[in-house]
Amino acid sequence: MKKVEAVKLPPDASIREALHIIDSGAIKLAIIADEENRLLGTVTDGDIRRAILNGKTLDESIDGVYNKHPVVVGIDESKESIINLCTAKKIYQIPVVDKRGRIVRIAMLDELLKPKTRPNKVVLMVGGLGSRLRPLTETTPKPMLHVGGRPILQTIVERFASHGFTDIIMCVNYKADIIRDYFGDGNRFGVNISYILEQKRMGTAGALSLLKERPGEPFFVMNGDLLTNVNFENMLQFHLDNNAMASMCVREYDFQVPYGVVNIENGKIRSIEEKPVQRFFVSAGIYILNPACLDLIPNEYYDMPALFEKIISRGEHAVSFPLREYWLDIGRMEEYEKANREYYKVFE
């Protein structure tokens, strides 16, 4: 049982305030209550990400975002009943209320009931040439370039391990021996690492056709040249909550047109927009796939966008997971230098 004061908010709080509570606590939930402590609702990381996709800003009110009909239990509910309800509803915490609807505490699924490590595999694509980072990559594969005093790939492995994802597969090609010699079986990093050697370039999805064993659970796929502090547990829960076949991390990208844009209709000027800003969501190179996705991947060069297009064309459910955390694709020298400047502010 957890105290609720640290995660409680009034109904006029902002989305930003709710995010702060969700990110800073182990409960991963914010409670909305009125002045008399009556439960009005709950808000989760997934609720906020859906609101962002729908155009909400962090400074807007949480009203309209939080769940006003959460699952609750009474103060006399037994431990066994709470566990059974959590299992049936696929949730990890339930507000406990008294007969007047006032929030008393939050019942959490006992941490001891959950496995110490999670069964979901992590596939890291680390076979790229890193041509744009030459001459640094002439002797070192890009994922092994040091940022913050350690290889980029080590930070990725440690981030997954910190969330309980310890079954890691590395798809290697260029200078594969350097990666294998450094990581070995992963024991000294608290993980289990196996390797797939790409004899030829297979793309970001084609290499998955080389997996020796079919995963039994949804699994992560991530490019090996990224730095991010995204919560992988939240991403997996978002994938499961949405019953998705495939999930893609997306990042908002702004582009400002450096000129006045003239809107023309039938030769007539209708309006002029001075240097408008165009906003897009772009792929962030992190994915979760259900095992059934492997049936759609040919044993040849095949990129992840092609896989998602196939999934969508078949009417399967593909969802986006908007990133609001730190993220940097280290593809060019200026990004590599930026990563080294920012590393200790983000990861230490």
Side-chain angles (χ1 to χ4, degrees):
M1 300 297 179
K2 300 286 186 179
K3 292 183 178 179
V4 301
E5 290 303 316
V7 297
K8 192 169 66 174
L9 284 173
D12 60 351
S14 69
I15 295 175
R16 188 184 302 277
E17 289 174 290
L19 272 179
H20 176 72
I21 284 179
I22 292 170
D23 287 346
S24 61
I27 295 178
K28 302 174 187 174
L29 183 78
I31 296 293
I32 313 300
D34 64 16
E35 294 179 352
E36 296 183 18
N37 209 36
R38 287 185 298 237
L39 178 68
L40 299 178
T42 61
V43 61
T44 66
D45 183 88
D47 294 329
I48 291 175
R49 291 184 193 269
R50 283 187 287 272
I52 292 173
L53 285 176
N54 288 329
K56 292 277 189 180
T57 66
L58 296 183
D59 293 317
E60 290 187 54
S61 169
I62 202 71
D63 187 39
V65 175
Y66 69 85
N67 176 15
K68 297 182 180 180
H69 303 285
V71 177
V72 300
V73 294
I75 56 177
D76 296 326
E77 199 75 34
S78 69
K79 175 182 175 181
E80 291 74 18
S81 296
I82 294 174
I83 291 174
N84 290 337
L85 186 57
C86 283
T87 303
K89 297 291 186 179
K90 297 182 180 180
I91 53 180
Y92 294 95
Q93 57 278 312
I94 298 180
V96 180
V97 298
D98 65 15
K99 293 180 180 180
R100 296 177 58 186
R102 295 175 300 189
I103 179 72
V104 177
R105 57 185 179 268
I106 300 172
M108 303 285 294
L109 264 182
D110 193 335
E111 291 294 326
L112 295 177
L113 296 179
K114 298 188 293 185
K116 292 183 179 179
T117 57
R118 297 176 180 272
N120 310 83
K121 295 181 183 295
V122 176
V123 182
L124 300 178
M125 299 297 176
V126 295
L129 297 175
S131 302
R132 292 178 296 169
L133 279 169
R134 290 177 178 167
L136 297 180
T137 52
E138 289 179 354
T139 57
T140 304
K142 182 167 62 169
M144 295 300 292
L145 293 178
H146 278 222
V147 172
R150 69 196 69 184
I152 298 167
L153 188 53
Q154 181 177 337
T155 295
I156 294 173
V157 168
E158 290 173 346
R159 291 294 302 171
F160 273 107
S162 71
H163 291 285
F165 301 104
T166 59
D167 192 349
I168 295 175
I169 302 167
M170 295 186 181
C171 296
V172 296
N173 179 266
Y174 179 66
K175 299 191 179 297
D177 288 344
I178 293 177
I179 295 175
R180 286 189 291 205
D181 289 346
Y182 186 87
F183 286 98
D185 63 3
N187 182 61
R188 70 188 182 100
F189 300 98
V191 299
N192 176 62
I193 298 178
S194 58
Y195 300 89
I196 292 176
L197 179 61
E198 299 178 45
Q199 299 292 345
K200 59 181 180 179
R201 307 293 295 164
M202 297 292 288
T204 51
L208 297 176
S209 68
L210 304 177
L211 290 176
K212 298 173 184 176
E213 295 182 5
R214 187 185 183 94
E217 305 281 345
F219 61 96
F220 289 87
V221 181
M222 179 172 170
N223 297 343
D225 56 358
L226 304 176
L227 283 179
T228 180
N229 61 354
V230 64
N231 187 316
F232 295 113
E233 293 175 87
N234 285 348
M235 183 179 177
L236 177 60
Q237 192 60 49
F238 188 85
H239 175 86
L240 297 174
D241 288 346
N242 284 277
N243 296 314
M245 173 69 78
S247 296
M248 175 190 293
C249 272
V250 295
R251 184 79 174 176
E252 190 170 8
Y253 179 79
D254 295 346
F255 171 75
Q256 184 170 29
V257 179
Y259 310 102
V261 173
V262 182
N263 296 311
I264 300 173
E265 183 179 334
N266 297 325
K268 295 182 179 181
I269 297 176
R270 295 301 184 187
S271 64
I272 300 174
E273 298 178 71
E274 186 61 28
K275 299 181 180 179
V277 175
Q278 302 291 325
R279 289 184 170 85
F280 309 92
F281 281 105
V282 299
S283 173
I286 310 170
Y287 316 91
I288 296 179
L289 304 177
N290 283 359
C293 292
L294 296 174
D295 298 330
L296 308 178
I297 301 173
N299 185 20
E300 60 187 38
Y301 187 94
Y302 201 67
D303 266 331
M304 198 61 75
L307 174 59
F308 269 78
E309 288 173 359
K310 183 179 287 188
I311 291 169
I312 295 167
S313 70
R314 292 167 59 92
E316 302 286 359
H317 195 35
V319 301
S320 58
F321 181 79
L323 276 180
R324 52 178 176 77
E325 297 87 349
Y326 180 84
W327 176 89
L328 184 63
D329 178 2
I330 306 173
R332 297 172 299 177
M333 192 63 70
E334 53 264 40
E335 292 153 351
Y336 177 65
E337 294 169 350
K338 180 181 180 182
N340 273 293
R341 290 194 306 269
E342 297 176 344
Y343 185 89
Y344 291 106
K345 296 177 183 178
V346 178
F347 297 101
E348 297 292 338

